[in-house]
């Protein structure tokens, strides 16, 4: 919930003037922004100058894609939008990948883009582009600060737009000359956000549907939860012996060790959850909708006679498919606030249904033998040695690729936002998100599982980790190929491998060159010692990287 700013912060008629760039920074600070991720540019130097004496931490990144990924990860971890800043033209183009991630993942993000001077428009000026044309279809709003006196208002509007309704990215263009102008230093207060909630009719309808159901199933997802809401949701599920599955790459809201957690649903879904969407007689989606990935390309759960309750703050239900029995317009926390007032008689069928699925999930997640075998290093051995050593609040980050399934299967996600990933399948997310997580939670164990191809897209952000003291433990699974694409290739073009094979550097030496700890593992016998050494380095204030070289075509499931 937002609070009204005190009068001395909002200002008065005799408020002194500041440049618009400095007012932008003051407004971000007043909206609760703790950190901004930047790649500097001469187009927004006045904003950088405003950050000089600000309480906001300025994290200088090595690539605009890395900066927007870090900001997107911030938006997943907090109720305040993540903030990134980049420059015009090429910088803005590089940042687009983070915007697409925030759009498809429904993550609140505000991207500030420095622009050419106002008077240079429509002249093909150096690095000129049209931000509304570039970003108009991939952001919730695109605003350009053409009037300096509106600087604080535009920032407040951007922060509001990013979190209101279905969260998402907002772009704010900052012309170089406009942000240097002096304006009254009055700040626009935060704009209150509507959280929705269950109406009496909603409550009665869901209550009746649950009472009639023999095999109900909740599916949780999205980035709009809080720790408190997730904990209350879990407590209510457990008290009623009801099951919950995780949307793809959203594990942790209902903890990994909860008797109500029955596994992930998404691409490459494990067998325990493969048939659940058709077997259940009542689906309740909370914070997400039955979209492309959950329904296997809009194929599963399409019978119009099936019961689907959709709980989302987005009244348009963008991205959903299949039947909609009832929509409840609410953010997850507010829905849970009303849900916990629903005291239902527990059915034996619920206990049996939840117990069966939970048993399948426990078998699926049981760690392999920790004792190393002969020959080539194996991810199974690494996970078996790593997971038992993790604290209860450990977090995991990853991007896209078959290597991510090792985390889906074995990593103990216990709490909201303990898994950070890109549900748009974007590669290069693993390292930036791990850096952001470590900066947000210093001292917490952050593990990032990256593929060899995925790592090389933003691995240079380890330099950012070293500069700001981030200490993630990075596992680079090196199978010398783009594995997911190879899998599809083998299916559609058997025995015609083309365009998917890689020749990789020594990632451990790269880690050392960036200022961290690195260890290269080729033999399975060396895995336990490598895990222990990397954990020790991470605990002692350094990022650590395990370069594990594995056989091709060995998958988590």
């Amino acid at each position: 919930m937002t609070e009204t700013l005190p009068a001395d912060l909002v200002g008065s008629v005799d408020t002194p003037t500041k440049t618009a760039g400095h007012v932008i920074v003051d407004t971000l600070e007043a909206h609760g922004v703790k950190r901004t991720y930047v790649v500097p540019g001469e187009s927004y130097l006045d904003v950088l100058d405003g950050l000089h004496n600000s309480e906001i931490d300025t994290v200088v990144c090595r690539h605009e894609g890395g900066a927007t990924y870090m900001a997107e990860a911030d938006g997943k971890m907090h109720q305040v939008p993540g903030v990134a800043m980049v420059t015009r033209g090429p910088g803005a183009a590089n940042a687009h990948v983070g915007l697409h991630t925030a759009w498809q993942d429904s993550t609140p993000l505000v991207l500030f883009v420095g622009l050419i001077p106002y008077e240079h428009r429509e002249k093909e000026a150096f690095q000129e582009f049209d931000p509304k044309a570039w970003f108009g279809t991939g952001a919730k709003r695109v605003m350009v600060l053409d009037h300096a006196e509106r600087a604080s208002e535009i920032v407040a509007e951007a922060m509001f737009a990013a979190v209101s309704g279905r969260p998402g990215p907002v772009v704010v263009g900052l012309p170089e000359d406009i942000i240097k102008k002096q304006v009254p230093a009055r700040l626009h207060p935060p704009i209150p956000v509507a959280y929705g909630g269950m109406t009496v009719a909603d409550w009665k309808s869901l209550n009746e549907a649950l009472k009639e159901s023999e095999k109900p199933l909740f599916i949780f997802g999205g980035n709009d939860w809080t720790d408190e809401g997730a904990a209350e949701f879990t407590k209510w599920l457990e008290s009623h012996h009801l099951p919950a599955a995780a949307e793809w790459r959203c594990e942790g809201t209902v903890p990994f060790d909860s008797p109500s957690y029955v596994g992930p649903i998404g691409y490459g879904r494990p067998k325990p959850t493969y048939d659940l969407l058709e077997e259940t007689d009542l689906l309740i989606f909370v914070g997400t909708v039955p979209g492309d990935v959950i329904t296997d390309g809009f194929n599963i759960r399409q019978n119009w006679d099936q019961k689907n309750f959709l709980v989302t703050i987005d009244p348009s239900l963008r991205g959903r498919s299949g039947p909609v029995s009832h929509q409840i317009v609410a953010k997850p926390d507010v829905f849970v606030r009303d849900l916990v007032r629903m005291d239902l008689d527990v059915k034996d069928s619920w206990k049996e249904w939840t117990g069966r699925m939970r048993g399948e999930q426990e078998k699926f997640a049981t760690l392999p033998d920790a004792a190393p075998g002969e020959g080539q290093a194996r991810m199974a051995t690494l996970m078996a040695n790593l997971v038992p050593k993790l604290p209860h609040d450990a977090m995991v980050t990853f991007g896209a690729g078959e290597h991510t399934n090792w985390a889906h299967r074995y990593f103990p996600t216990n709490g909201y936002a303990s898994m950070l990933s890109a549900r748009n399948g974007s590669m290069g997310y693993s390292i930036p998100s791990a850096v952001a997580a470590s900066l947000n939670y210093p001292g917490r164990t952050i593990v990032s599982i990256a593929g060899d191809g995925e790592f090389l897209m933003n691995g240079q952000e380890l330099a950012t980790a070293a500069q700001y003291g981030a200490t993630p433990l990075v596992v680079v699974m090196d199978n010398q190929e783009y594995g997911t694409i190879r899998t599809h290739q083998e299916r559609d073009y058997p025995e015609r491998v083309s365009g998917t094979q890689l020749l990789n550097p020594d990632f451990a030496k790269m880690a050392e060159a960036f200022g961290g700890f690195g260890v290269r593992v080729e033999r399975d016998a060396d895995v336990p010692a490598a895990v222990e050494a990397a954990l020790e380095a991470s605990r002692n204030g350094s990022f650590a990287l395990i370069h594990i070289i594995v056989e091709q075509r060995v998958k988590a499931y």
Side-chain angles (χ1 to χ4, degrees), residues 267-318:
Y267 284 139
R269 66 187 63 178
K271 184 59 179 173
T273 57
Y274 192 82
D275 300 321
L276 291 187
L277 297 191
E278 294 294 358
E279 186 176 355
T280 178
D281 59 10
L282 173 64
L283 264 179
I284 304 105
F285 291 85
V286 185
T288 186
V289 295
D292 180 14
V293 178
I294 291 178
T295 62
D296 275 351
F298 308 113
N299 288 312
I300 295 176
R301 199 74 182 181
Q302 301 299 301
N303 188 324
W304 296 104
D305 295 329
Q306 294 168 316
K307 285 188 177 181
N308 288 355
F309 275 61
L310 276 54
V311 182
T312 170
I313 193 64
D314 178 15
S316 74
L317 296 179
R318 193 179 80 221

Short mmCIF file of all heavy atoms in Angstrom, two decimals, residues 267-318:
data_model
loop_
_atom_site.label_atom_id
_atom_site.label_comp_id
_atom_site.label_asym_id
_atom_site.label_seq_id
_atom_site.Cartn_x
_atom_site.Cartn_y
_atom_site.Cartn_z
N TYR A 267 6.98 -26.35 -19.80
CA TYR A 267 7.70 -27.08 -20.83
C TYR A 267 8.53 -28.19 -20.20
O TYR A 267 9.18 -28.00 -19.18
CB TYR A 267 8.63 -26.15 -21.61
CG TYR A 267 7.92 -25.26 -22.59
CD1 TYR A 267 8.29 -23.93 -22.75
CD2 TYR A 267 6.88 -25.74 -23.39
CE1 TYR A 267 7.66 -23.11 -23.67
CE2 TYR A 267 6.24 -24.93 -24.31
CZ TYR A 267 6.63 -23.61 -24.44
OH TYR A 267 6.00 -22.79 -25.34
N GLY A 268 8.54 -29.34 -20.85
CA GLY A 268 9.31 -30.46 -20.33
C GLY A 268 8.83 -30.90 -18.97
O GLY A 268 9.61 -31.37 -18.15
N ARG A 269 7.53 -30.72 -18.71
CA ARG A 269 7.01 -30.97 -17.37
C ARG A 269 7.28 -32.41 -16.95
O ARG A 269 7.23 -33.33 -17.77
CB ARG A 269 5.52 -30.67 -17.31
CG ARG A 269 4.65 -31.58 -18.16
CD ARG A 269 3.20 -31.11 -18.16
NE ARG A 269 3.10 -29.80 -18.78
CZ ARG A 269 1.94 -29.18 -18.96
NH1 ARG A 269 0.82 -29.72 -18.57
NH2 ARG A 269 1.90 -27.99 -19.52
N PRO A 270 7.58 -32.61 -15.68
CA PRO A 270 7.81 -33.97 -15.19
C PRO A 270 6.53 -34.79 -15.22
O PRO A 270 5.41 -34.26 -15.13
CB PRO A 270 8.28 -33.75 -13.75
CG PRO A 270 7.72 -32.42 -13.37
CD PRO A 270 7.72 -31.60 -14.62
N LYS A 271 6.67 -36.09 -15.31
CA LYS A 271 5.53 -36.98 -15.41
C LYS A 271 4.53 -36.82 -14.26
O LYS A 271 3.31 -36.89 -14.47
CB LYS A 271 6.01 -38.43 -15.50
CG LYS A 271 4.89 -39.45 -15.70
CD LYS A 271 4.08 -39.17 -16.97
CE LYS A 271 2.98 -40.22 -17.16
NZ LYS A 271 2.10 -39.86 -18.28
N PRO A 272 4.98 -36.59 -13.01
CA PRO A 272 4.01 -36.46 -11.92
C PRO A 272 2.95 -35.38 -12.14
O PRO A 272 1.85 -35.47 -11.62
CB PRO A 272 4.89 -36.13 -10.70
CG PRO A 272 6.18 -36.76 -11.02
CD PRO A 272 6.36 -36.61 -12.50
N THR A 273 3.29 -34.34 -12.90
CA THR A 273 2.31 -33.28 -13.13
C THR A 273 1.80 -33.26 -14.57
O THR A 273 1.02 -32.38 -14.93
CB THR A 273 2.91 -31.89 -12.81
OG1 THR A 273 4.09 -31.70 -13.60
CG2 THR A 273 3.25 -31.78 -11.34
N TYR A 274 2.21 -34.20 -15.37
CA TYR A 274 1.91 -34.13 -16.80
C TYR A 274 0.41 -34.16 -17.09
O TYR A 274 -0.08 -33.41 -17.94
CB TYR A 274 2.60 -35.27 -17.55
CG TYR A 274 2.58 -35.08 -19.04
CD1 TYR A 274 3.51 -34.26 -19.67
CD2 TYR A 274 1.59 -35.68 -19.83
CE1 TYR A 274 3.49 -34.05 -21.03
CE2 TYR A 274 1.56 -35.48 -21.20
CZ TYR A 274 2.51 -34.67 -21.80
OH TYR A 274 2.47 -34.47 -23.15
N ASP A 275 -0.32 -35.02 -16.39
CA ASP A 275 -1.73 -35.22 -16.71
C ASP A 275 -2.69 -34.50 -15.76
O ASP A 275 -3.90 -34.67 -15.85
CB ASP A 275 -2.07 -36.72 -16.69
CG ASP A 275 -1.25 -37.49 -17.71
OD1 ASP A 275 -1.04 -36.96 -18.82
OD2 ASP A 275 -0.81 -38.61 -17.41
N LEU A 276 -2.15 -33.70 -14.85
CA LEU A 276 -3.00 -33.12 -13.81
C LEU A 276 -4.07 -32.20 -14.36
O LEU A 276 -5.19 -32.15 -13.85
CB LEU A 276 -2.15 -32.35 -12.80
CG LEU A 276 -1.25 -33.19 -11.89
CD1 LEU A 276 -0.62 -32.30 -10.84
CD2 LEU A 276 -2.03 -34.31 -11.23
N LEU A 277 -3.74 -31.44 -15.40
CA LEU A 277 -4.70 -30.46 -15.89
C LEU A 277 -5.97 -31.10 -16.43
O LEU A 277 -7.05 -30.51 -16.41
CB LEU A 277 -4.07 -29.58 -16.97
CG LEU A 277 -2.89 -28.71 -16.55
CD1 LEU A 277 -2.56 -27.71 -17.63
CD2 LEU A 277 -3.14 -27.99 -15.24
N GLU A 278 -5.85 -32.32 -16.96
CA GLU A 278 -7.04 -33.01 -17.45
C GLU A 278 -7.73 -33.82 -16.35
O GLU A 278 -8.94 -34.00 -16.36
CB GLU A 278 -6.66 -33.94 -18.61
CG GLU A 278 -6.16 -33.20 -19.86
CD GLU A 278 -7.24 -32.35 -20.53
OE1 GLU A 278 -8.40 -32.34 -20.07
OE2 GLU A 278 -6.91 -31.68 -21.52
N GLU A 279 -6.96 -34.29 -15.37
CA GLU A 279 -7.54 -35.15 -14.33
C GLU A 279 -8.33 -34.36 -13.30
O GLU A 279 -9.35 -34.82 -12.79
CB GLU A 279 -6.44 -35.95 -13.64
CG GLU A 279 -6.97 -36.96 -12.64
CD GLU A 279 -5.88 -37.82 -12.04
OE1 GLU A 279 -4.72 -37.70 -12.47
OE2 GLU A 279 -6.18 -38.62 -11.13
N THR A 280 -7.87 -33.17 -12.97
CA THR A 280 -8.56 -32.39 -11.95
C THR A 280 -9.96 -31.97 -12.41
O THR A 280 -10.18 -31.72 -13.60
CB THR A 280 -7.74 -31.14 -11.59
OG1 THR A 280 -8.46 -30.36 -10.63
CG2 THR A 280 -7.50 -30.25 -12.81
N ASP A 281 -10.88 -31.88 -11.46
CA ASP A 281 -12.23 -31.43 -11.81
C ASP A 281 -12.46 -29.96 -11.48
O ASP A 281 -13.53 -29.42 -11.73
CB ASP A 281 -13.30 -32.31 -11.14
CG ASP A 281 -13.20 -32.30 -9.61
OD1 ASP A 281 -12.43 -31.48 -9.07
OD2 ASP A 281 -13.87 -33.13 -8.97
N LEU A 282 -11.44 -29.30 -10.91
CA LEU A 282 -11.53 -27.87 -10.62
C LEU A 282 -10.13 -27.28 -10.57
O LEU A 282 -9.31 -27.69 -9.76
CB LEU A 282 -12.24 -27.63 -9.28
CG LEU A 282 -12.25 -26.18 -8.78
CD1 LEU A 282 -13.04 -25.28 -9.74
CD2 LEU A 282 -12.83 -26.09 -7.36
N LEU A 283 -9.87 -26.32 -11.45
CA LEU A 283 -8.59 -25.63 -11.46
C LEU A 283 -8.78 -24.20 -10.98
O LEU A 283 -9.68 -23.50 -11.45
CB LEU A 283 -8.01 -25.59 -12.88
CG LEU A 283 -7.00 -26.66 -13.28
CD1 LEU A 283 -6.58 -26.46 -14.73
CD2 LEU A 283 -5.77 -26.63 -12.39
N ILE A 284 -7.92 -23.78 -10.04
CA ILE A 284 -7.93 -22.39 -9.58
C ILE A 284 -6.55 -21.81 -9.83
O ILE A 284 -5.57 -22.21 -9.19
CB ILE A 284 -8.30 -22.26 -8.09
CG1 ILE A 284 -9.65 -22.93 -7.82
CG2 ILE A 284 -8.33 -20.80 -7.69
CD1 ILE A 284 -9.54 -24.24 -7.10
N PHE A 285 -6.45 -20.90 -10.80
CA PHE A 285 -5.20 -20.23 -11.11
C PHE A 285 -5.11 -18.97 -10.26
O PHE A 285 -6.03 -18.16 -10.26
CB PHE A 285 -5.13 -19.84 -12.58
CG PHE A 285 -5.02 -21.02 -13.52
CD1 PHE A 285 -6.15 -21.69 -13.94
CD2 PHE A 285 -3.78 -21.44 -13.98
CE1 PHE A 285 -6.06 -22.77 -14.81
CE2 PHE A 285 -3.67 -22.51 -14.84
CZ PHE A 285 -4.81 -23.18 -15.27
N VAL A 286 -3.99 -18.79 -9.56
CA VAL A 286 -3.82 -17.63 -8.70
C VAL A 286 -2.56 -16.88 -9.14
O VAL A 286 -1.45 -17.40 -9.03
CB VAL A 286 -3.70 -18.02 -7.22
CG1 VAL A 286 -3.64 -16.77 -6.35
CG2 VAL A 286 -4.85 -18.92 -6.80
N GLY A 287 -2.75 -15.66 -9.65
CA GLY A 287 -1.62 -14.85 -10.08
C GLY A 287 -1.17 -15.14 -11.50
O GLY A 287 -0.22 -14.53 -11.98
N THR A 288 -1.84 -16.04 -12.17
CA THR A 288 -1.49 -16.38 -13.54
C THR A 288 -2.73 -16.88 -14.25
O THR A 288 -3.82 -16.93 -13.67
CB THR A 288 -0.37 -17.44 -13.58
OG1 THR A 288 0.05 -17.63 -14.93
CG2 THR A 288 -0.84 -18.76 -12.99
N VAL A 289 -2.59 -17.24 -15.53
CA VAL A 289 -3.70 -17.75 -16.32
C VAL A 289 -3.23 -18.97 -17.10
O VAL A 289 -2.03 -19.19 -17.26
CB VAL A 289 -4.23 -16.67 -17.31
CG1 VAL A 289 -4.82 -15.49 -16.56
CG2 VAL A 289 -3.13 -16.22 -18.27
N PRO A 290 -4.16 -19.79 -17.60
CA PRO A 290 -3.77 -20.95 -18.40
C PRO A 290 -3.31 -20.53 -19.80
O PRO A 290 -4.10 -20.49 -20.75
CB PRO A 290 -5.04 -21.80 -18.45
CG PRO A 290 -6.15 -20.82 -18.26
CD PRO A 290 -5.61 -19.75 -17.35
N GLY A 291 -2.03 -20.21 -19.92
CA GLY A 291 -1.50 -19.71 -21.17
C GLY A 291 -0.84 -20.79 -22.01
O GLY A 291 -1.04 -21.99 -21.81
N ASP A 292 -0.03 -20.37 -22.94
CA ASP A 292 0.61 -21.24 -23.92
C ASP A 292 1.41 -22.36 -23.28
O ASP A 292 1.24 -23.54 -23.59
CB ASP A 292 1.51 -20.37 -24.81
CG ASP A 292 2.25 -21.16 -25.88
OD1 ASP A 292 1.88 -22.32 -26.13
OD2 ASP A 292 3.19 -20.61 -26.47
N VAL A 293 2.30 -22.01 -22.34
CA VAL A 293 3.22 -22.99 -21.77
C VAL A 293 2.47 -23.99 -20.89
O VAL A 293 2.67 -25.20 -21.00
CB VAL A 293 4.33 -22.29 -20.97
CG1 VAL A 293 5.25 -23.32 -20.31
CG2 VAL A 293 5.14 -21.38 -21.89
N ILE A 294 1.62 -23.49 -20.01
CA ILE A 294 0.89 -24.37 -19.10
C ILE A 294 0.03 -25.37 -19.86
O ILE A 294 -0.09 -26.54 -19.48
CB ILE A 294 0.03 -23.55 -18.12
CG1 ILE A 294 0.93 -22.78 -17.14
CG2 ILE A 294 -0.94 -24.44 -17.35
CD1 ILE A 294 0.17 -21.90 -16.17
N THR A 295 -0.57 -24.93 -20.96
CA THR A 295 -1.51 -25.79 -21.70
C THR A 295 -0.87 -26.50 -22.89
O THR A 295 -1.58 -26.99 -23.78
CB THR A 295 -2.71 -24.97 -22.20
OG1 THR A 295 -2.24 -23.95 -23.11
CG2 THR A 295 -3.45 -24.32 -21.05
N ASP A 296 0.47 -26.57 -22.92
CA ASP A 296 1.17 -27.25 -24.02
C ASP A 296 0.71 -26.74 -25.38
O ASP A 296 0.25 -27.49 -26.25
CB ASP A 296 0.96 -28.77 -23.94
CG ASP A 296 1.96 -29.44 -23.02
OD1 ASP A 296 2.91 -28.77 -22.59
OD2 ASP A 296 1.79 -30.64 -22.74
N GLY A 297 0.85 -25.42 -25.56
CA GLY A 297 0.50 -24.84 -26.85
C GLY A 297 -0.99 -24.72 -27.08
O GLY A 297 -1.48 -24.93 -28.20
N PHE A 298 -1.73 -24.40 -26.01
CA PHE A 298 -3.18 -24.20 -26.08
C PHE A 298 -3.90 -25.49 -26.48
O PHE A 298 -4.93 -25.45 -27.17
CB PHE A 298 -3.54 -23.07 -27.05
CG PHE A 298 -2.81 -21.79 -26.79
CD1 PHE A 298 -1.89 -21.30 -27.70
CD2 PHE A 298 -3.03 -21.07 -25.63
CE1 PHE A 298 -1.20 -20.11 -27.47
CE2 PHE A 298 -2.35 -19.88 -25.38
CZ PHE A 298 -1.43 -19.40 -26.30
N ASN A 299 -3.41 -26.62 -26.02
CA ASN A 299 -4.01 -27.91 -26.36
C ASN A 299 -4.68 -28.59 -25.17
O ASN A 299 -5.69 -29.27 -25.33
CB ASN A 299 -2.96 -28.86 -26.94
CG ASN A 299 -2.54 -28.47 -28.34
OD1 ASN A 299 -3.39 -28.20 -29.19
ND2 ASN A 299 -1.25 -28.39 -28.58
N ILE A 300 -4.11 -28.44 -23.97
CA ILE A 300 -4.64 -29.10 -22.78
C ILE A 300 -5.65 -28.18 -22.09
O ILE A 300 -5.54 -26.96 -22.13
CB ILE A 300 -3.50 -29.48 -21.83
CG1 ILE A 300 -2.60 -30.53 -22.48
CG2 ILE A 300 -4.01 -30.00 -20.50
CD1 ILE A 300 -1.40 -30.90 -21.66
N ARG A 301 -6.63 -28.78 -21.47
CA ARG A 301 -7.66 -28.07 -20.70
C ARG A 301 -8.45 -27.09 -21.58
O ARG A 301 -8.69 -25.94 -21.22
CB ARG A 301 -7.01 -27.32 -19.54
CG ARG A 301 -7.97 -26.93 -18.40
CD ARG A 301 -8.41 -28.08 -17.55
NE ARG A 301 -9.36 -27.69 -16.52
CZ ARG A 301 -9.88 -28.51 -15.64
NH1 ARG A 301 -9.54 -29.79 -15.65
NH2 ARG A 301 -10.74 -28.08 -14.74
N GLN A 302 -8.87 -27.56 -22.73
CA GLN A 302 -9.61 -26.72 -23.67
C GLN A 302 -11.10 -27.08 -23.74
O GLN A 302 -11.86 -26.42 -24.44
CB GLN A 302 -8.99 -26.84 -25.06
CG GLN A 302 -7.53 -26.44 -25.13
CD GLN A 302 -7.28 -25.01 -24.74
OE1 GLN A 302 -7.81 -24.08 -25.35
NE2 GLN A 302 -6.46 -24.80 -23.71
N ASN A 303 -11.51 -28.13 -23.03
CA ASN A 303 -12.92 -28.54 -23.04
C ASN A 303 -13.76 -27.50 -22.28
O ASN A 303 -13.51 -27.22 -21.11
CB ASN A 303 -13.06 -29.92 -22.39
CG ASN A 303 -14.45 -30.50 -22.52
OD1 ASN A 303 -15.44 -29.78 -22.45
ND2 ASN A 303 -14.53 -31.81 -22.70
N TRP A 304 -14.78 -26.99 -22.93
CA TRP A 304 -15.55 -25.90 -22.34
C TRP A 304 -16.41 -26.35 -21.16
O TRP A 304 -16.98 -25.52 -20.44
CB TRP A 304 -16.43 -25.25 -23.41
CG TRP A 304 -15.59 -24.60 -24.46
CD1 TRP A 304 -15.35 -25.06 -25.72
CD2 TRP A 304 -14.82 -23.40 -24.33
NE1 TRP A 304 -14.48 -24.22 -26.38
CE2 TRP A 304 -14.14 -23.19 -25.55
CE3 TRP A 304 -14.64 -22.47 -23.30
CZ2 TRP A 304 -13.31 -22.10 -25.77
CZ3 TRP A 304 -13.80 -21.38 -23.53
CH2 TRP A 304 -13.15 -21.21 -24.74
N ASP A 305 -16.51 -27.64 -20.93
CA ASP A 305 -17.26 -28.14 -19.78
C ASP A 305 -16.42 -28.18 -18.51
O ASP A 305 -16.95 -28.41 -17.42
CB ASP A 305 -17.81 -29.54 -20.07
CG ASP A 305 -18.84 -29.55 -21.19
OD1 ASP A 305 -19.55 -28.53 -21.33
OD2 ASP A 305 -18.91 -30.55 -21.92
N GLN A 306 -15.12 -27.98 -18.63
CA GLN A 306 -14.24 -28.05 -17.46
C GLN A 306 -14.31 -26.75 -16.66
O GLN A 306 -14.56 -25.68 -17.21
CB GLN A 306 -12.81 -28.35 -17.91
CG GLN A 306 -12.66 -29.74 -18.53
CD GLN A 306 -11.32 -29.91 -19.24
OE1 GLN A 306 -10.85 -29.04 -19.96
NE2 GLN A 306 -10.68 -31.05 -19.03
N LYS A 307 -14.06 -26.88 -15.34
CA LYS A 307 -14.17 -25.72 -14.46
C LYS A 307 -12.80 -25.09 -14.21
O LYS A 307 -11.89 -25.74 -13.70
CB LYS A 307 -14.78 -26.14 -13.11
CG LYS A 307 -16.28 -26.39 -13.15
CD LYS A 307 -16.82 -26.60 -11.74
CE LYS A 307 -18.33 -26.78 -11.77
NZ LYS A 307 -18.88 -26.97 -10.40
N ASN A 308 -12.69 -23.83 -14.59
CA ASN A 308 -11.48 -23.05 -14.36
C ASN A 308 -11.84 -21.74 -13.67
O ASN A 308 -12.62 -20.95 -14.22
CB ASN A 308 -10.75 -22.72 -15.67
CG ASN A 308 -10.07 -23.91 -16.30
OD1 ASN A 308 -10.04 -24.99 -15.72
ND2 ASN A 308 -9.51 -23.70 -17.47
N PHE A 309 -11.29 -21.51 -12.49
CA PHE A 309 -11.40 -20.22 -11.82
C PHE A 309 -10.07 -19.49 -12.03
O PHE A 309 -9.01 -20.05 -11.76
CB PHE A 309 -11.67 -20.39 -10.32
CG PHE A 309 -13.12 -20.57 -9.98
CD1 PHE A 309 -13.84 -21.66 -10.47
CD2 PHE A 309 -13.77 -19.65 -9.17
CE1 PHE A 309 -15.17 -21.84 -10.15
CE2 PHE A 309 -15.11 -19.82 -8.84
CZ PHE A 309 -15.82 -20.92 -9.34
N LEU A 310 -10.15 -18.24 -12.49
CA LEU A 310 -8.94 -17.46 -12.77
C LEU A 310 -8.89 -16.26 -11.83
O LEU A 310 -9.79 -15.40 -11.86
CB LEU A 310 -8.93 -16.99 -14.23
CG LEU A 310 -8.39 -17.96 -15.28
CD1 LEU A 310 -9.08 -19.31 -15.25
CD2 LEU A 310 -8.51 -17.35 -16.67
N VAL A 311 -7.87 -16.23 -10.99
CA VAL A 311 -7.67 -15.12 -10.05
C VAL A 311 -6.53 -14.27 -10.56
O VAL A 311 -5.36 -14.66 -10.51
CB VAL A 311 -7.36 -15.63 -8.63
CG1 VAL A 311 -7.21 -14.45 -7.68
CG2 VAL A 311 -8.43 -16.60 -8.16
N THR A 312 -6.85 -13.11 -11.10
CA THR A 312 -5.84 -12.21 -11.64
C THR A 312 -6.36 -10.78 -11.58
O THR A 312 -7.57 -10.55 -11.72
CB THR A 312 -5.47 -12.58 -13.09
OG1 THR A 312 -4.67 -11.54 -13.67
CG2 THR A 312 -6.71 -12.76 -13.95
N ILE A 313 -5.47 -9.84 -11.40
CA ILE A 313 -5.87 -8.44 -11.35
C ILE A 313 -6.12 -7.89 -12.75
O ILE A 313 -6.65 -6.79 -12.91
CB ILE A 313 -4.81 -7.59 -10.61
CG1 ILE A 313 -5.32 -6.19 -10.25
CG2 ILE A 313 -3.54 -7.50 -11.44
CD1 ILE A 313 -6.48 -6.19 -9.28
N ASP A 314 -5.78 -8.67 -13.78
CA ASP A 314 -5.94 -8.23 -15.16
C ASP A 314 -7.33 -8.61 -15.66
O ASP A 314 -7.59 -9.78 -15.96
CB ASP A 314 -4.87 -8.88 -16.04
CG ASP A 314 -5.02 -8.52 -17.51
OD1 ASP A 314 -5.74 -7.55 -17.80
OD2 ASP A 314 -4.39 -9.19 -18.34
N PRO A 315 -8.26 -7.66 -15.79
CA PRO A 315 -9.62 -8.02 -16.24
C PRO A 315 -9.68 -8.49 -17.68
O PRO A 315 -10.64 -9.13 -18.09
CB PRO A 315 -10.41 -6.71 -16.04
CG PRO A 315 -9.38 -5.63 -16.10
CD PRO A 315 -8.13 -6.22 -15.52
N SER A 316 -8.62 -8.18 -18.47
CA SER A 316 -8.64 -8.60 -19.87
C SER A 316 -8.25 -10.06 -20.05
O SER A 316 -8.43 -10.63 -21.13
CB SER A 316 -7.67 -7.73 -20.68
OG SER A 316 -6.31 -8.08 -20.42
N LEU A 317 -7.69 -10.70 -19.00
CA LEU A 317 -7.25 -12.10 -19.06
C LEU A 317 -6.31 -12.34 -20.23
O LEU A 317 -6.33 -13.39 -20.88
CB LEU A 317 -8.45 -13.05 -19.16
CG LEU A 317 -9.40 -13.08 -17.96
CD1 LEU A 317 -10.55 -14.05 -18.22
CD2 LEU A 317 -8.66 -13.47 -16.69
N ARG A 318 -5.45 -11.38 -20.50
CA ARG A 318 -4.53 -11.50 -21.63
C ARG A 318 -3.67 -12.76 -21.52
O ARG A 318 -3.09 -13.04 -20.48
CB ARG A 318 -3.61 -10.26 -21.68
CG ARG A 318 -2.84 -10.11 -22.98
CD ARG A 318 -1.98 -8.86 -22.96
NE ARG A 318 -0.75 -9.07 -22.22
CZ ARG A 318 -0.21 -8.19 -21.38
NH1 ARG A 318 -0.84 -7.06 -21.14
NH2 ARG A 318 0.92 -8.44 -20.77
#
